[in-house]
Amino acid sequence: MEPEPASKREKAEAAMPVLHYFAGRGMANPLRFVLALAGITWQENALRERQQMLDLIASGHLAPFEQVPMLEIDGKYLTQSFATIKYIAATRSLYGKENPSVDDVYHVDTLADGARDFYVKFVPLPFNPTPETYIEEVLKKKVITKYLPIFNNLLKASKFLAGNQPTYADAVLLTAVEFALDVFGADVLDDYPHLAKWKEAAWALPGMAMFKGSANHFGMPDKQYALEVDTALGRR
Ligand SMILES: N[C@@H](CCC(=O)N[C@@H](CS)C(=O)NCC(=O)O)C(=O)O
C-alpha cells in the first residue's frame, strides 16, 4: 500500500482528540468511558509535572476554572467533565434515540447524574490517609448500599439504563461499577443479578470492548498516581 502523504497523515493526527489529565482515573474517567462508547479514539496527554499544568493554564485553554480534564476535540477546547460528556452525547447520538426529546434528554441526564454521584465517591480514595477506614465507613456502609440496589432495580425492565439502547448514562455507570468491583471484588454484585448481567452487556458494546484492552483504560489508582496529581497541581 502506498504510504499516506505526510500532509494527510499530519492532518489526521492533528484531528485526533487529546485528553489532558493525569495518568489515572480521577475526574476524567467517566469522560473516557463516554468517548469509548462513542467509538472515538483519543490520545492522552498525561500530566505529571507542575510545569505541564502551568503551561495549560497559560495557554488559556483551561479557562475559566483552570481545571482538568480538558478535551481537545472538533477544534475546541472543552473543560468541565460533565459538560464535555454531554457535548459528546449530543454530537455523537448517545441519548439512545435519533431525535431525543427534551424529556428523553432529561431522563438520560438524570440517570447519568446519579451514576456520576456514585462514581465520584471513589475518586478521593487514593488521597485518603486511612483508605481502609474510608472503604469500610463510607464506600461500604453508605455508597454501595445506596447505589447498587437502585441501579439493579432500574435494570430490571430493560437491557440498558434508559431502555434497550445504550446511552452515555451506561458508560458513566460502568465507570462506577468497575471501581466498586476493583475495591470490593466480584462478590459485590452477587445480590444484584440485573446489574451483573448489564455489566457484561455494557462491556461487550463495540467501543467499550476495544477501550478495555487499550492503554487509555486505567486500573486502580496507586501511590504513584496520587503523587503525580499532587505534583502537577502544586500540592506538594
Ligand atoms: N467540575 C470539574 C472538576 C474538575 C477538577 O476538580 N479538576 C481538578 C483535578 S481532578 C483540578 O484541575 N484542580 C485544579 C484547580 O481546581 O485549580 C470537572 O468535572 O471537570
Side-chain angles (χ1 to χ4, degrees):
M1 196 196 286
E2 288 280 314
E4 267 183 347
S7 61
K8 199 173 162 201
R9 198 175 57 241
E10 276 160 21
K11 219 172 154 190
E13 282 169 3
M16 183 178 284
V18 182
L19 180 62
H20 302 265
Y21 198 65
F22 317 109
R25 293 180 175 178
M27 292 304 290
N29 231 32
L31 174 55
R32 291 188 181 104
F33 276 57
V34 171
L35 289 170
L37 184 63
I40 294 171
T41 309
W42 73 94
Q43 286 179 336
E44 294 270 340
N45 174 29
L47 307 177
R48 295 192 164 90
E49 303 297 336
R50 181 70 185 139
Q51 195 55 47
Q52 290 174 283
M53 186 72 187
L54 293 175
D55 289 347
L56 276 178
I57 292 170
S59 74
H61 298 322
L62 302 189
F65 299 108
E66 304 191 339
Q67 291 176 329
V68 286
M70 186 270 279
L71 180 70
E72 281 186 55
I73 193 166
D74 300 344
K76 303 167 203 246
Y77 300 93
L78 305 179
T79 57
Q80 287 299 333
S81 59
F82 266 73
T84 306
I85 282 173
K86 286 171 189 171
Y87 170 89
I88 300 296
T91 54
R92 271 70 176 181
S93 287
L94 295 183
Y95 278 96
K97 290 183 181 170
E98 210 162 303
N99 290 303
S101 68
V102 170
D103 285 348
D104 292 331
V105 169
Y106 168 76
H107 181 57
V108 175
D109 286 349
T110 305
L111 296 165
D113 278 10
R116 168 180 57 182
D117 290 346
F118 181 17
Y119 174 74
V120 296
K121 298 291 192 302
F122 291 93
V123 172
L125 187 58
F127 305 97
N128 195 296
T130 54
E132 294 311 324
T133 311
Y134 185 75
I135 288 172
E136 190 58 31
E137 297 303 320
V138 180
L139 296 179
K140 191 169 181 183
K141 289 194 180 152
K142 299 187 177 139
V143 177
I144 293 297
T145 43
K146 177 180 170 75
Y147 288 102
L148 292 184
I150 292 174
F151 283 112
N152 190 59
N153 277 340
L154 284 168
L155 288 160
K156 248 184 207 159
S158 57
K159 188 171 179 193
F160 294 104
L161 269 182
N164 288 326
Q165 293 301 321
T167 66
Y168 85 91
D170 293 287
V172 178
L173 179 59
L174 193 57
T175 323
V177 168
E178 175 186 67
F179 224 138
L181 285 161
D182 286 348
V183 172
F184 294 105
D187 299 359
V188 80
L189 294 186
D190 278 358
D191 293 334
Y192 307 103
H194 304 295
L195 202 44
K197 194 172 163 208
W198 161 88
K199 185 202 70 165
E200 298 306 322
W203 271 127
L205 290 166
M208 303 313 298
M210 208 168 82
F211 163 64
K212 199 174 185 183
S214 79
N216 292 354
H217 179 222
F218 291 94
M220 274 288 280
D222 56 13
K223 284 199 162 57
Q224 177 63 23
Y225 163 78
L227 182 76
E228 288 175 6
V229 174
D230 284 342
T231 302
L233 293 182
R235 297 197 297 218
R236 60 180 304 278

